[in-house]
Amino acid sequence: VIQAVFFGICVLTDLSSLLTKGNDSQEQERQLKKLISLRDWMMAVLAFPIGVFVVTMFWSIYIYDRELVYPKLLDNFIPAWLNHGMHTTVLPFILIEMRTTHHEYPSRSCGLAAVCTFAVGYILWMCWIHHVTGVWVYPLLEYLSPGVKIIFFTAVTIIINIFYLLGEVLNNYIWDTQK
């Protein structure tokens, strides 16, 4: 969902940019700048770090033991192409976006705070679902003791923050900018 919303905003930004080109409307320029800021924030805080995290974690665990993240039973409901759409294509598309469009990253402290907020929110959502249904969204969590879950959730949050920093460094390298 994050990737779909992000790339939808990218398309909207590009279309708006094309439609306002040559137009002297201050209001349209102001709205376009807001849209670009939203696109850049989403890229920095959500699309890149979460996208890279999903691809690396999913396929790492899948290769180790697919039943821990994507039980074979799901093959009956989710076709292979959709699985790759959710867990593979995210990475090349996000790298292409980073290479073709310069993104302004927020200040490091604001960006990391936003990434942590998202990670903690997602972890709480998973715990809430387990509390209500008695089933973990990811089967892997069933096998972890409460203490190990806390360590796992902390490690996941740290990894996502590292991917945020990697995205910032990669963006600056590609576009040869320094903060």
Side-chain angles (χ1 to χ4, degrees):
V1 172
I2 290 170
Q3 300 300 320
V5 170
F6 170 68
F7 282 111
I9 290 171
C10 288
V11 169
L12 186 59
T13 302
D14 291 345
L15 288 173
S16 296
S17 181
L18 286 172
L19 294 173
T20 60
K21 196 170 263 192
N23 193 340
D24 290 336
S25 171
Q26 298 271 333
E27 179 60 21
Q28 285 180 340
E29 272 301 310
R30 194 173 66 75
Q31 294 299 327
L32 180 58
K33 285 182 181 180
K34 281 184 183 179
L35 198 56
I36 290 170
S37 290
L38 175 62
R39 178 203 65 195
D40 289 352
W41 184 88
M42 279 198 69
M43 172 66 165
V45 171
L46 296 174
F48 186 86
I50 304 304
V52 173
F53 176 80
V54 165
V55 172
T56 56
M57 282 297 283
F58 177 84
W59 288 110
S60 296
I61 296 170
Y62 186 97
I63 289 166
Y64 174 73
D65 181 357
R66 80 171 279 177
E67 294 297 316
L68 295 175
V69 294
Y70 195 78
K72 200 155 182 60
L73 170 73
L74 291 177
D75 291 343
N76 297 326
F77 309 101
I78 302 173
W81 65 266
L82 186 54
N83 179 27
H84 284 292
M86 293 184 296
H87 299 113
T88 308
T89 61
V90 170
L91 186 58
F93 287 142
I94 209 70
L95 291 173
I96 290 167
E97 170 65 21
M98 184 173 273
R99 180 62 186 99
T100 59
T101 307
H102 176 257
H103 296 276
E104 288 292 326
Y105 270 61
S107 71
R108 187 167 285 167
S109 58
C110 288
L112 290 171
V115 168
C116 283
T117 300
F118 175 83
V120 169
Y122 189 79
I123 289 165
L124 291 174
W125 175 79
M126 287 189 304
C127 291
W128 175 254
I129 289 173
H130 178 262
H131 173 73
V132 171
T133 66
V135 176
W136 285 104
V137 176
Y138 302 105
L140 165 72
L141 297 172
E142 190 69 44
Y143 301 102
L144 304 179
S145 68
V148 174
K149 276 186 190 86
I150 291 170
I151 293 168
F152 178 75
F153 290 148
T154 302
V156 160
T157 302
I158 290 168
I159 291 167
I160 292 171
N161 278 275
I162 290 169
F163 286 145
Y164 171 86
L165 295 171
L166 174 67
E168 182 182 51
V169 167
L170 188 58
N171 184 67
N172 288 340
Y173 175 78
I174 289 170
W175 295 98
D176 196 26
T177 59
Q178 296 297 321
K179 284 202 169 188

